[in-house]
Amino acid sequence: MNYMAKIICGKTHAAAIRSEVKTKAAGKNCKLVAVLVGDNPASVVYIGMKEKACAEVGLGFELKKLPEEATQKEVLELIDSLNNDTSVTGVLVQQPFPPQLNKDEILSHLDPRKDVDCLHPYNVGLAATGQGRLLPCTPAGCVELLKREGIEISGKNAVIVGRSDIVGKPLSLLLLAENATVTICHSRTKNLAEECRRADILVAALGRPKFITADMVKPDAVIIDVGVNRLEGKKICGDVDYENCEKIASYITPVPGGVGPMTVATLMENCVKAWELQNG
Ligand code: NAP
C-alpha cells in the first residue's frame, strides 16, 4: 500500500529550540566568533545562517576572516587571541579548510570551553562517554528531531550511511547512548542496500545526491537525511531520493528544512552552555 510518510519539520522544532535558548541566554553576555579562512561560498552561506540565529536568540556575533592563503601560524595565532579574550565565549572555525592547513591541530588549539562545534578531541571524548556538556551540533540535532517527534529510539536498528568525524561517527555514539542497535556504513561497506533495508531508523550522511533509493528502505522506516548537495543553479537536495522514499517511510526529513535548522539551533544551545562553563 502506498501512503505518504509524515514529514519531520526541522524548521518548526528548531524555532522552538531557538525560543528556549533565547530565554536561557537572557542576561548572559554570550558572544560567538566565527573564523572563516578563504571565501568558500557554502561556508559563507552557513555562517550567514549562524549570524542570523545569534541575532534572533540575543547572542553577540562576530566574523573573523582570514585570506585563503593564510598560514597555519596565522590561524593558530587568531585562535590564541580568541581563547584569551574573555568577551568571546564561543569560537567556531568554519570547515572545510584550505589544503595548506592542518585541521586536527587547529581544532585541538581551541579552548575546549569555547568549542561550540564540539570538535576539540577533549569534547569529542566527553561526548563519546556520555559526559558531554557541549554536544556535536548535527548529530545532537538529529537525535533531538527524533525525540521531539516522539519517535522511539531504544531497541531500534539504526543504520547510518557515512562515518565522518562531524556526522556519522558521533551520531552513532549518541544513538547508542539512546539504546539503539547501531550499524555504521561507509564507502567500503558490502551490500549497502541490504544493510539499509534492516534499518528502523536510516540516517543518510554521505554527501551523494539522492543516493538512498526506495529499494533501500524498509517499509515504515524513519529516514533522517543529513545530506546537503548543491544541484545546478541554486537548488539543493539531500542524500535521499525523497519523492520515492516518502512513499515507503513512516517519517522523513526534507532537505532543506530538516536537519540543517537543527544543526544551527544546537549550536545556539551550545553557545549558552559554553558561557555557563566559563562562568561557573
Ligand atoms: P564526508 O566527510 O565527506 O563523509 C562522507 C561519508 O560518506 C564517508 O564516511 C564516506 O565513506 C561515506 N560515503 C561516501 N560515498 C559513499 C557511498 N557511495 N556509499 C557508502 N558510503 C559512502 O561528509 P560529511 O561531512 O559527513 O557530510 C555528509 C553530508 O552531510 C554532506 O552532504 C554534507 O553537506 C552534509 N552535512 C549537513 C549538515 C547539516 O547541518 N544538515 C551538517 C554537516 C554535513 P568513507 O569514510 O569510506 O570515505
Side-chain angles (χ1 to χ4, degrees):
M1 186 179 79
N2 270 0
Y3 65 101
M4 290 296 184
K6 177 164 188 239
I7 297 167
I8 302 177
C9 184
K11 267 191 194 171
T12 305
H13 291 301
I17 295 171
R18 288 198 304 273
S19 155
E20 291 157 24
V21 174
K22 188 172 184 175
T23 307
K24 288 183 205 153
K28 302 181 174 90
N29 49 347
C30 306
K31 179 179 172 184
L32 172 65
V33 172
V35 175
L36 175 63
V37 186
D39 50 12
N40 177 306
S43 294
V44 171
V45 171
Y46 290 137
I47 287 184
M49 289 172 177
K50 292 165 188 176
E51 180 173 12
K52 191 168 161 237
C54 281
E56 189 188 327
V57 304
L59 311 182
F61 177 88
E62 194 181 340
L63 172 61
K64 295 273 189 196
K65 282 181 83 169
L66 288 174
E68 182 78 27
E69 61 280 4
T71 63
Q72 184 78 4
K73 186 165 172 276
E74 285 167 333
V75 177
L76 296 182
E77 280 172 2
L78 174 57
I79 291 176
D80 274 336
S81 75
L82 298 172
N83 285 345
N84 293 328
D85 182 342
T86 51
S87 75
V88 175
T89 55
V91 178
L92 72 82
V93 192
Q94 189 69 41
Q95 296 189 52
F97 299 140
Q100 76 276 13
L101 298 179
N102 178 334
K103 178 187 84 162
D104 292 335
E105 190 186 22
I106 290 172
L107 298 178
S108 305
H109 213 73
L110 290 165
D111 178 342
R113 296 169 313 157
K114 297 187 180 185
D115 169 33
V116 287
D117 263 343
C118 191
L119 295 172
H120 187 290
Y122 176 73
N123 288 327
V124 172
L126 288 181
T129 51
Q131 305 171 74
R133 286 289 315 276
L134 303 171
L135 292 175
C137 296
T138 302
C142 291
V143 172
E144 198 56 30
L145 267 187
L146 294 168
K147 288 186 175 174
R148 285 183 184 241
E149 281 291 327
I151 295 166
E152 180 78 40
I153 304 174
S154 179
K156 296 293 171 66
N157 280 335
V159 176
I160 304 165
V161 188
R163 58 172 164 181
S164 71
D165 289 343
I166 60 166
V167 187
K169 220 180 283 173
L171 178 57
S172 69
L173 294 165
L174 296 188
L175 288 172
L176 192 58
E178 297 294 334
N179 299 313
T181 303
V182 182
T183 303
I184 311 178
C185 301
H186 46 79
S187 65
R188 312 281 175 91
T189 298
K190 297 210 165 70
N191 302 325
L192 181 66
E194 203 174 294
E195 296 291 347
C196 291
R197 276 194 295 272
R198 293 195 300 108
D200 302 310
I201 299 170
L202 179 60
V203 183
L206 65 160
R208 303 270 182 273
K210 303 186 185 187
F211 184 92
I212 302 291
T213 46
D215 59 303
M216 300 166 86
V217 177
K218 174 166 121 176
D220 278 348
V222 174
I223 302 179
I224 304 289
D225 189 354
V226 180
V228 179
N229 305 290
R230 267 153 226 286
L231 302 174
E232 277 183 26
K234 286 198 166 169
K235 238 185 144 201
I236 67 165
C237 79
D239 289 347
V240 173
D241 174 9
Y242 184 92
E243 286 73 22
N244 291 308
C245 291
E246 74 167 338
K247 295 174 189 153
I248 292 180
S250 56
Y251 289 83
I252 190 164
T253 60
V255 178
V259 173
M262 294 298 285
T263 298
V264 180
T266 309
L267 176 72
M268 297 299 106
E269 279 190 316
N270 278 350
C271 287
V272 176
K273 287 181 190 166
W275 183 95
E276 288 167 354
L277 286 174
Q278 290 155 64
N279 291 275

